[in-house]
Amino acid sequence: AAGAEGAMGEARALLTKEPAPQAVPATQLPMKVAEVALNTGAHSSCGLATAGFRTAKYLPHEWHEHYHGLSQEAAVGCEQAERCCLEARGLARSTAAAAQCAQQDSTAALGQRLQDIHFWKAELQKEIEDLDAETGLLAAQKMRLERALDATEVPYVIATDNLQCRERRQHPDLVRDQVEIELLKEVELIRNIQELLKRTLMQAVNQMRLNRDHKEVCEMDWSDKVETYNIDEKCGRYNNQSANIQFHPGSVKFEESASTPETWSKFSHDNIYRAEREKMASINLRALIDSILHDVSEDLRMQCAAVNEAFARRCEELEDAKHKLEYHLKNTLKEIGDQEANIAALKQAIKDKETPMKVAQTRLYDRSFRPNVELCRDPAQFRLISEVEELTESIESLKKKLLESEQSLRNLEDTRMNLEKEIAVKANSIFIDKEKCMAHRTRYPVVLKLAGYQ
């Protein structure tokens, strides 16, 4: 290479100026026979290297020009080489500093990115935990709804059984009284409550499904964040002394499906926003369930108290009527006894009038055989006649009174039968209301069970 530069420099020196004319006129010189040297060694030339060079000798000024040209060219070359070395060392230092700075900036950017990922990851994790806890609380409320719905079966069975039992009341106690009205209200209330609890239960199941769906979305996002955090953390630990680094020429291109920082943040923000919205809906639903269960238990207990109070009033009314009927029956039985004694006395009185009637009629009959003028209408005759008439009237009045007394006795017997029948009806009604219905209502669930706590 140095020889080539020398040859090129010599050629440039030779071509700088036309050669000066010879002082001695040119003459015809004899042709010199050139003898080609033979190859005498491994590094000898066969003479072909001299082909193309001029055969005339150089002039002194050409030699000086050639020398100065070489010197100048060498100096320029050294200067250029030194400047190139300086520039190369400066460029190496600047590029090293730039590379180090770029690597530090990239590491700082990765650190900042790790902070951003950690922030959203923590927010997602908190939202996942909140949703999981909220779903658990809502599941507990759902369990309360199910227990409360099951607890309404007992009051419904009690109320319907009470209505069926009271259908066995006898006339005239088979009446649509206040107890029946309250029982029908209770049955209707329980049906409405069961429908409300079923609708609320379906709403709770749907809300739990939404909570789990949004929790799953947040978990997928959180899982991606964890994987990305691990990747970026590994990238942040890479340095120039790392052993597992290599060239990846195609890694500098952007993926077409890659997101921007804005869409990346918006994605997690929207997931958290939707999850938070469902969490608030779940909290509101739990409060609504609390209110519904409280109102349901209170309504059922209030209606149960109203039915029990109506039963108590009705039983008290029936007891009072039964006592009065029994009092009337007692008086009627006493009157029946007195009337029977009266009838017996009247019959005896009628019988007692038979002998005086016989005496009077016998006297009149015997006196009718008095002879001739002795058959006189004397005072004795008139008195005997009036005596017979008086006895006849007495017997008639006694018989009439006997008939009245016998009719009164028959009326008293009818009254006694009616009273006894009515007392039996009242006893049956009292047995149904008190021994059957009210005893069955003692199994009514407590408030805690109706509210779904048990």
Side-chain angles (χ1 to χ4, degrees):
E5 288 182 0
M8 291 175 65
E10 182 181 359
R12 284 195 298 270
L14 291 175
L15 294 176
T16 55
K17 190 176 180 181
E18 290 292 332
Q22 296 277 341
V24 179
T27 59
Q28 191 72 24
L29 293 177
M31 181 176 298
K32 181 180 179 180
V33 179
E35 295 179 0
V36 179
L38 298 175
N39 290 334
T40 58
H43 301 286
S44 62
S45 174
C46 61
L48 296 178
T50 59
F53 286 93
R54 57 183 288 178
T55 58
K57 291 184 178 180
Y58 292 96
L59 298 177
H61 71 278
E62 290 179 342
W63 180 85
H64 284 289
E65 288 178 357
H66 177 65
Y67 166 73
H68 287 296
L70 285 177
S71 299
Q72 185 177 3
E73 187 175 357
V76 170
C78 290
E79 184 180 356
Q80 288 178 349
E82 184 178 0
R83 185 171 62 251
C84 183
C85 289
L86 290 175
E87 290 177 355
R89 285 193 296 269
L91 182 60
R93 286 193 300 270
S94 63
T95 54
Q100 184 179 4
C101 183
Q103 191 178 85
Q104 290 176 352
D105 291 343
S106 298
T107 304
L110 285 172
Q112 181 62 41
R113 184 63 176 175
L114 285 174
Q115 291 182 2
D116 295 341
I117 295 173
H118 178 73
F119 169 77
W120 287 112
K121 182 168 69 71
E123 291 294 321
L124 286 168
Q125 185 172 359
K126 178 178 179 299
E127 194 62 34
I128 291 168
E129 292 172 354
D130 291 346
L131 265 180
D132 188 58
E134 178 59 33
T135 304
L137 294 175
L138 188 58
Q141 292 292 75
K142 173 178 169 288
M143 184 66 67
R144 281 186 61 197
L145 282 173
E146 292 173 348
R147 287 196 294 257
L149 183 60
D150 293 338
T152 57
E153 289 298 325
V154 175
Y156 185 76
V157 170
I158 290 174
T160 53
D161 182 72
N162 289 162
L163 288 171
Q164 291 173 359
C165 285
R166 298 187 93 241
E167 289 296 323
R168 296 195 294 270
R169 291 176 298 168
Q170 299 173 359
H171 295 283
D173 280 4
L174 189 59
V175 62
R176 186 183 178 88
D177 53 5
Q178 188 63 31
V179 176
E180 185 170 346
I181 293 173
E182 294 296 336
L183 282 173
L184 291 173
K185 284 183 182 179
E186 187 175 41
V187 170
E188 186 65 23
L189 175 64
I190 294 173
R191 286 174 180 169
N192 293 335
I193 286 174
Q194 287 177 342
E195 291 298 324
L196 175 62
L197 292 180
K198 288 177 183 177
R199 289 197 304 270
T200 309
L201 187 60
M202 292 301 297
Q203 191 175 356
V205 170
N206 185 50
Q207 186 61 51
M208 288 176 64
R209 181 183 58 79
L210 291 174
N211 287 354
R212 292 193 182 100
D213 290 344
H214 284 81
K215 175 174 170 285
E216 184 178 354
V217 171
C218 290
E219 284 175 343
M220 292 292 292
D221 194 2
W222 178 84
S223 177
D224 292 344
K225 293 285 188 298
V226 170
E227 186 176 357
T228 303
Y229 187 89
N230 293 333
I231 291 173
D232 283 353
E233 187 180 22
K234 182 178 69 174
C235 292
R237 288 196 301 268
Y238 283 146
N239 53 47
N240 295 333
Q241 287 75 35
S242 298
N244 53 346
I245 56 176
Q246 59 183 343
F247 288 108
H248 296 281
S251 62
V252 296
K253 65 178 181 179
F254 283 107
E255 297 292 337
E256 294 182 359
S257 60
S259 61
T260 64
E262 291 76 15
T263 58
W264 176 80
S265 299
K266 187 176 184 300
F267 179 76
S268 296
H269 176 271
D270 291 345
N271 288 337
I272 293 174
Y273 174 76
R274 287 190 291 267
E276 190 72 19
R277 185 176 58 190
E278 295 302 328
K279 185 180 75 173
M280 291 305 300
S282 180
I283 291 173
N284 294 332
L285 181 58
R286 282 196 298 113
L288 178 63
I289 292 173
D290 272 333
S291 176
I292 288 175
L293 291 176
H294 177 269
D295 294 343
V296 161
S297 60
E298 287 297 320
D299 291 345
L300 285 175
R301 291 306 301 177
M302 287 177 62
Q303 185 60 33
C304 176
V307 173
N308 291 340
E309 184 179 356
F311 263 119
R313 286 198 304 267
R314 184 60 177 169
C315 288
E316 183 179 355
E317 186 178 4
L318 289 171
E319 292 280 358
D320 183 64
K322 181 173 175 290
H323 289 320
K324 289 181 179 179
L325 290 172
E326 289 173 347
Y327 173 76
H328 290 305
L329 178 61
K330 180 180 178 182
N331 291 336
T332 302
L333 291 174
K334 179 178 178 299
E335 289 298 325
I336 288 174
D338 293 343
Q339 196 64 262
E340 288 176 346
N342 181 44
I343 291 172
L346 287 172
K347 287 180 179 180
Q348 186 62 41
I350 293 172
K351 188 176 181 180
D352 291 342
K353 297 297 183 293
E354 291 178 357
T355 303
M357 179 66 73
K358 289 179 182 180
V359 171
Q361 287 182 356
T362 301
R363 284 176 176 178
L364 286 173
Y365 178 77
D366 288 346
R367 291 192 81 209
S368 66
F369 290 102
R370 288 176 299 169
N372 301 319
V373 74
E374 293 300 327
L375 189 63
C376 179
R377 296 178 181 176
D378 52 5
Q381 186 71 19
F382 283 109
R383 187 69 190 94
L384 285 172
I385 293 172
S386 63
E387 181 183 3
V388 170
E389 291 176 353
E390 289 175 2
L391 287 173
T392 302
E393 289 178 1
S394 298
I395 291 171
E396 291 298 326
S397 62
L398 287 172
K399 287 182 177 180
K400 184 178 179 181
K401 184 57 67 177
L402 177 60
L403 290 175
E404 292 179 0
S405 298
E406 288 176 347
Q407 183 63 40
S408 175
L409 180 60
R410 286 192 294 270
N411 292 338
L412 287 174
E413 289 292 342
D414 293 340
T415 302
R416 178 183 65 82
M417 291 177 61
N418 291 333
L419 287 173
E420 288 176 348
K421 182 179 178 181
E422 191 67 23
I423 289 171
V425 170
K426 293 294 183 290
N428 179 67
S429 299
I430 292 171
F431 175 77
I432 290 174
D433 284 355
K434 198 169 187 178
E435 302 300 328
K436 290 287 187 180
C437 296
M438 294 186 71
H440 197 186
R441 294 189 71 82
T442 57
R443 302 178 186 177
Y444 209 90
V446 296
V447 176
L448 291 178
K449 194 167 185 177
L450 293 174
Y453 289 110
Q454 296 179 352

